[in-house]
Amino acid sequence: MNEIFHKAKQASRELNLLSDEKINATLLHLADATEAAEVSILEANARDLARMDESNPMYDRLRLTPDRIREIADATRSVAALPSPLGKTLAEWTQPNGMTIKKVSVPFGVIGIIYEARPNVTFDVFSLCFKSGSAVVMKGGHDAEESNAAITALIHSVLREEGINEAVATMLPVEREYTAALLGAVGYVDLIIPRGGRGLIDYVRDNSRVPVIETGAGLCHTYFHTSGDLAKGVRIVMNAKTRRVSVCNALDCLLIDANRLPDLANLVMPMAEKKVEIAADPQTFAALEGKYPYLVHASDEAWDTEWRDYKMAIRTVADATEAIEHIAKHGSGHSECIVAEDEAVCNRFCKEVDASCVYANVPTSFTDGGQFGFGAEIGISTQKLHARGPMGLPEITTYKYLITGDAPIRP
């Protein structure tokens, strides 16, 4: 394992010598090659899908389609089109002794990514790490083993044709001992980013000897305020919950002011088409009983559940204060939304709610690097040190100080 990590470290130094033009040309080459290899990628993905029950919510995350292949290729081209995050002077000043100090953006070096059944992540993290000058060591899950192998082989073929060290992109075997080795690769790997559910993220955070940026786990709320517009609320709730239920920005809990309960059935009824099960508190249950077909009583655990399925919780609150307190107690710091026409309460919500992304009259489904104009994302950080929210190119660079002078002497 140390030999694998050593090769990645060496490749990261070689990557520093590539011009931005060469990096962009390689990414464009990969985008074209991805579309050309559509059939073989989908065949590998089909073998992975055959091992998973279609009713599993993770099935959609695992599944690739011709449209998704084209979206992946377009995202790779978008990353190539972005300005390089490297070599930027973030600050510069001269001391009285004539010493000039520059703070300049530089690559991390080697970034380790541990993720679950999302083969598109393999493309995303390679393109972002490559563009930002870092080698990447990837540890995918068993569910996507065939897909990731095919994608990695494609990336390596493009790197060979471009004359670039293949070790800038390394896919580790799926066995668990390789995860442990990656988490202990001090001196070789500079940063670990986990992408997946709470269990994976907790495991990585608790066991890694390499610095970690927490990403992914998203227990997301939407609060429908007294002043909320019903038509807007229907669109926002439906999109946030049902666009893709298995992703981290999907809606998990709807909070609604008590005096808007008469509108609740109309607010959630479109979700019945998708057979979304609602776990309701007593007030909510009484308001929906006989009006919504997929209704159950909420357990105490419902308020702390990231469903990743066609399920959600609804709780009735007295006012904005109670809604904000609920989010503070149960939220994961990912994405939170308010539906309200009252500008003052929107401002209060945006100031008081502690999350990486806070929305007013916009669904949480927009928490995504591509939607933010980042080309793609390496993850969505729910912590506060170094990076927060969708992480694009600037968030996966660090900086160094460059100091020049004419032989000043420190007294």
Side-chain angles (χ1 to χ4, degrees):
M1 287 303 300
N2 284 346
E3 180 65 21
I4 292 174
F5 298 141
H6 175 75
K7 289 180 178 178
K9 194 74 171 178
Q10 177 64 36
S12 73
R13 291 194 292 269
E14 295 175 16
L15 189 52
N16 280 331
L17 302 177
L18 294 184
S19 68
D20 191 41
E21 291 75 16
K22 179 66 170 178
I23 288 173
N24 292 339
T26 303
L27 290 174
L28 293 175
H29 184 173
L30 176 61
D32 293 341
T34 300
E35 291 180 327
E38 176 185 306
V39 173
S40 60
I41 293 173
L42 293 180
E43 287 175 349
N45 185 242
R47 293 193 291 273
D48 287 329
L49 291 171
R51 299 194 304 269
M52 182 179 286
D53 186 343
E54 289 189 36
S55 64
N56 187 331
M58 297 297 289
Y59 188 90
D60 180 63
R61 300 184 82 166
L62 175 62
R63 185 168 63 99
L64 294 175
T65 66
D67 284 344
R68 289 181 180 180
I69 295 292
R70 285 189 288 273
E71 289 170 1
I72 287 167
D74 286 343
T76 304
R77 294 185 181 102
S78 295
V79 173
L82 292 170
S84 173
L86 302 175
K88 294 187 178 298
T89 299
L90 306 176
E92 181 178 3
W93 65 97
T94 301
Q95 294 293 88
N97 63 1
M99 184 173 67
T100 297
I101 303 171
K102 286 185 179 182
K103 183 180 181 181
V104 179
S105 59
V106 297
F108 262 99
V110 179
I111 298 177
I113 312 290
I114 302 174
Y115 54 106
E116 294 174 333
R118 294 188 67 179
N120 64 295
V121 170
T122 307
F123 284 105
D124 289 348
V125 300
F126 168 73
S127 61
L128 288 168
C129 289
F130 187 67
K131 176 79 174 187
S132 61
S134 287
V136 61
V137 178
M138 299 170 282
K139 173 60 175 65
H142 174 72
D143 289 338
E145 182 177 6
E146 297 274 359
S147 303
N148 285 335
I151 294 165
T152 305
L154 175 67
I155 292 170
H156 284 171
S157 70
V158 170
L159 291 172
R160 283 194 303 272
E161 291 175 22
E162 294 289 342
I164 298 171
N165 191 336
E166 294 175 35
V168 300
T170 300
M171 178 66 68
L172 296 178
V174 297
E175 286 75 20
R176 185 166 295 181
E177 56 263 33
Y178 290 92
T179 300
L182 181 58
L183 297 181
V186 176
Y188 297 106
V189 178
D190 299 285
L191 177 68
I192 298 287
I193 302 175
R195 290 189 59 167
R198 173 51 59 190
L200 171 65
I201 292 167
D202 288 347
Y203 176 82
V204 170
R205 183 195 60 228
D206 295 344
N207 291 278
S208 182
R209 295 175 58 213
V210 177
V212 173
I213 293 180
E214 291 189 42
T215 73
L219 203 165
C220 303
H221 297 81
T222 293
Y223 168 44
F224 191 76
H225 180 253
T226 297
S227 67
D229 180 277
L230 181 59
K232 292 180 183 179
V234 169
R235 288 166 51 82
I236 288 169
V237 170
M238 182 69 174
N239 187 252
K241 177 67 256 181
T242 67
R243 190 194 73 87
R244 290 188 71 182
V245 297
S246 62
V247 294
C248 58
N249 58 29
L251 175 61
D252 295 296
C253 181
L254 174 66
L255 304 172
I256 183 168
D257 276 344
N259 62 1
R260 294 302 300 269
L261 283 176
D263 293 313
L264 181 56
N266 289 329
L267 182 63
V268 301
M269 190 54 66
M271 291 191 294
E273 297 178 9
K274 299 284 188 177
K275 299 182 179 179
V276 175
E277 181 181 280
I278 290 175
D281 73 342
Q283 275 186 278
T284 304
F285 194 95
L288 290 179
E289 191 171 16
K291 299 177 182 177
Y292 188 83
Y294 308 103
L295 188 65
V296 299
H297 290 282
S299 65
D300 291 340
E301 293 75 28
W303 316 119
D304 297 301
T305 299
E306 182 186 6
W307 298 100
R308 305 173 84 178
D309 199 349
Y310 286 95
K311 298 178 181 180
M312 65 180 287
I314 303 182
R315 182 184 175 189
T316 301
V317 295
D319 52 25
T321 297
E322 188 175 348
I324 292 169
E325 288 175 353
H326 178 99
I327 293 170
K329 181 177 180 180
H330 301 283
S332 64
H334 192 291
S335 301
E336 312 291 1
C337 165
I338 182 172
V339 180
E341 297 301 301
D342 185 324
E343 185 175 352
V345 78
C346 285
N347 289 337
R348 178 191 173 190
F349 186 90
C350 290
K351 288 179 180 179
E352 288 194 43
V353 169
D354 186 13
S356 67
C357 297
V358 183
Y359 296 90
N361 297 311
V362 178
T364 57
S365 52
F366 280 95
T367 301
D368 176 88
Q371 296 299 313
F372 277 31
F374 299 164
E377 71 183 32
I378 203 152
I380 297 168
S381 172
T382 53
Q383 65 182 42
K384 299 181 182 180
L385 290 177
H386 179 71
R388 198 177 194 195
M391 294 191 297
L393 295 172
E395 288 74 28
I396 51 173
T397 62
T398 183
Y399 57 83
K400 66 170 66 170
Y401 290 100
L402 302 179
I403 303 97
T404 58
D406 191 21
I409 300 298
R410 182 173 176 176

